Amino acid sequence: MSVIALVLVALVALLHLYILVLEMFLWTGPRGQKAFGLTPEFAAQTKALAANQGLYNGFLAAGLIWSLVHPQPEFAWQIAMFFLACVAVAGIYGAATASRKILFIQTVPAVIAMLAVMYL
């Protein structure tokens, strides 16, 4: 992968680590509530669900980080493409079911990174 592709994959991984922190640890606090447009009551009621979502975002980040450190470039490329595709699909689903902005926060960066992995 090119340096640009590596940087973009790393940025998507960092984004998902940040989402993990928001969903697992900051969900009921001011930052989590602001990020997701939650009331304190709703945040408290959905804390366990959010933590579960956060864990899944962590797995996406872990897969992307794995692609960055894998010693075989051919396999690293496949790992990156798989996890970026997972991120993109999750973003499409989130945009369709929760908030349209998820498409721009999650799917667009993943697709840009996929294009960089494929063509740069």
Side-chain angles (χ1 to χ4, degrees):
M1 283 187 274
S2 72
V3 172
I4 294 171
L6 292 170
V7 168
L8 291 173
V9 171
L11 289 174
V12 174
L14 288 173
L15 172 64
H16 283 273
L17 287 174
Y18 178 65
I19 294 170
L20 173 147
V21 170
L22 281 174
E23 292 176 340
M24 292 189 81
F25 306 110
L26 303 177
W27 187 258
T28 57
R31 179 174 249 162
Q33 290 175 32
K34 182 179 178 188
F36 296 102
L38 307 173
T39 64
E41 297 80 21
F42 185 79
Q45 292 170 351
T46 58
K47 184 177 180 177
L49 294 172
N52 194 333
Q53 285 180 185
L55 185 63
Y56 287 107
N57 278 293
F59 290 141
L60 292 172
L64 293 170
I65 293 166
W66 179 30
S67 78
L68 296 172
V69 299
H70 197 283
Q72 295 178 344
E74 304 83 18
F75 191 51
W77 185 90
Q78 293 174 356
I79 297 167
M81 291 301 288
F82 173 78
F83 282 97
L84 288 168
C86 289
V87 168
V89 170
I92 291 167
Y93 186 79
T97 60
S99 171
R100 194 165 194 207
K101 74 178 185 176
I102 295 172
L103 188 71
F104 302 102
I105 293 170
Q106 193 169 347
T107 302
V108 170
V111 170
I112 291 169
M114 289 174 78
L115 292 171
V117 170
M118 284 191 294
Y119 297 112
L120 297 181

